[in-house]
Each structure stands twice: as C-alpha cells, then as structure tokens.
Amino acid sequence: MIFEHPFGARSDDATLQALADLLPLLVSSEDAAIVAFHRLARDDAFDRAGAIALAAIEAEERVHFALVDALSQHLPPAADARAARHAARRFHGAIAAPDAAGALAVVASIDAGICTILSRLLRSGGVRRVPRAEAILMRIHQEEAGHVAVSRRLALASPEAISGGAGALLSRARNARSELAVLVLHFGHGLEALGVDTDRLVRDLGRVPLGLLS
C-alpha cells in the first residue's frame, strides 16, 4: 500500500514501520542525553565557558527529542516498544558514570556511536523515501558530531585525564560502546529493513573510534 504521509512524503508501509521500530532507540538516546548534559552543565567541575557549551548542547538535545517525538506521532506504533524501552533503560543504567570526566567520556563515545548509526541510515537510502524523516536525521547527525567534539575536548581537559587517568576514561568509553552494540541488536530488524548492514554496524559500534579519547 502506498499513501501520502502527513510529512509530505510518499512511502510504503514497510518503510514507515521500520522507522517506527527504530525511533525508540533515538528517543531513549536523546532523553538520556538531555539528563546527562543538564547535570554536566551544572557541575562545578567546569568553568563558565564549559558550562555554557554544555548548556547549549542540552538545548539542542531537547530540540532533537522534540523532532523525533513529533516524527513518531505520524508513524505506526513501534513493534515490541515495551521490550525496546526496557533494553534502553538497562543500557543507560549500565553506562552511568558518577563523575563528570567519566560521564563526558561515556557521552562522547555514545554520541559518536549515534553519529555512526545515523550515517549508515542516511547512506542506506531507506529513509530517502520519507524526506521529512531524512531531513530530521541529517540535522541530528550534524549537531551530534558537534556534541562529540565538545564532550571529547572537555573530557581530555579534565584533571583526571591530565593527571594520567585517560586510560580509565577510555575503559569507560569501551564499556559504553560494548553496551551500545548490544542495545542496537534489539533494533536490527528495523535497521535491516532500511538497508543497514546490522552485523557490520554492531561490530563497528563495539569499538571506540581511534583518537576519540587520546
């Protein structure tokens, strides 16, 4: 069945369902990012410039959440949404870091992973059948890349990293990436339906990009 989508795109049921099944991953990511950057922006570990940069990221994450949530309102219900939400909550609980430097390392590694996911989606061609969704994902991808750069810079400038604790930050980042790879497996069907090689994506997400925290 082909029909006119509320966002102005002509798309098939299978594509819209695949997008719907994938959105809980992005919604949970944006929601967790809002919480993380809200706390970081108010942490006394950062100077005024750092706090302003983190607050600006929080504001952008709130826009991302609103965009993805609005998109979801015009898509079918996600399959296994309850299981997806449970997996996402477990993931974010597993990667939580109590200290600012560790949280930044985790955020940088996860946001870099989200960039990889979005890049594969945008290259695959599946989302091109829903231009409005493609535009939203392109915007999020571009801005998340900036978030990675800020989080990385602040993490490497932290007293922990300067005093020789960069190895511990990298270890946290590796753990976060491993957990992200496991989480993405729950969304493999939607990714494959949109043309993404899930096996390759999961393999790449399991590794921290070279130079991210060094």
Side-chain angles (χ1 to χ4, degrees), residues 99 101-103 105-106 155-156 158 160-161 165-174 213:
D99 60 294
V106 167
L156 293 177
S158 67
E160 292 87 342
L169 299 184
L170 182 58
S171 177
R172 285 180 173 173
R174 284 173 176 157
L213 290 169

Side-chain angles (χ1 to χ4, degrees), residues 28-29 32-33 36 87-99 102-111 171-181 183:
S28 67
S29 172
R89 284 196 298 269
R90 185 176 61 186
F91 163 70
H92 291 295
I95 65 171
D99 60 294
L104 283 168
V106 167
V107 165
S109 64
I110 294 303
D111 280 357
S171 177
R172 285 180 173 173
R174 284 173 176 157
N175 176 66
R177 293 287 291 222
S178 295
E179 294 289 344
L180 178 62
L183 175 64

Side-chain angles (χ1 to χ4, degrees), residues 21-32 80-95 110-111 113-114 117 174-191 198 201-203 205-206:
D21 293 345
L22 187 60
L23 284 193
L25 173 63
L26 298 179
V27 169
S28 67
S29 172
E30 299 299 346
D31 189 36
D80 298 323
R82 185 175 181 179
R85 287 194 296 268
H86 176 73
R89 284 196 298 269
R90 185 176 61 186
F91 163 70
H92 291 295
I95 65 171
I110 294 303
D111 280 357
I114 295 299
I117 294 169
R174 284 173 176 157
N175 176 66
R177 293 287 291 222
S178 295
E179 294 289 344
L180 178 62
V182 172
L183 175 64
V184 166
L185 287 172
H186 291 273
F187 301 89
H189 177 74
L191 289 163
T198 304
L201 174 62
V202 168
R203 184 174 63 249
L205 290 176

Side-chain angles (χ1 to χ4, degrees), residues 30-154:
E30 299 299 346
D31 189 36
I34 290 168
V35 173
F37 283 109
H38 180 81
R39 291 175 177 170
L40 286 166
R42 289 152 182 79
D43 195 304
D44 58 12
F46 305 104
D47 61 16
R48 185 169 183 275
I52 290 173
L54 292 165
I57 293 177
E58 179 195 346
E60 287 187 344
E61 297 288 11
R62 290 186 183 278
V63 173
H64 295 176
F65 182 90
L67 288 170
V68 175
D69 184 61
L71 178 60
S72 72
Q73 302 306 311
H74 297 285
L75 292 173
D80 298 323
R82 185 175 181 179
R85 287 194 296 268
H86 176 73
R89 284 196 298 269
R90 185 176 61 186
F91 163 70
H92 291 295
I95 65 171
D99 60 294
L104 283 168
V106 167
V107 165
S109 64
I110 294 303
D111 280 357
I114 295 299
C115 285
T116 298
I117 294 169
L118 293 174
S119 176
R120 303 288 170 87
L121 278 169
L122 291 166
R123 289 208 313 259
S124 70
V127 296
R128 292 175 192 163
R129 296 193 289 272
V130 189
R132 179 56 176 162
E134 181 183 31
I136 289 172
L137 297 183
M138 286 180 66
R139 172 177 176 171
I140 293 174
H141 178 264
Q142 292 169 353
E143 292 179 350
E144 290 294 343
H147 301 176
V148 173
V150 172
S151 299
R152 175 185 182 275
R153 174 175 59 80
L154 292 175

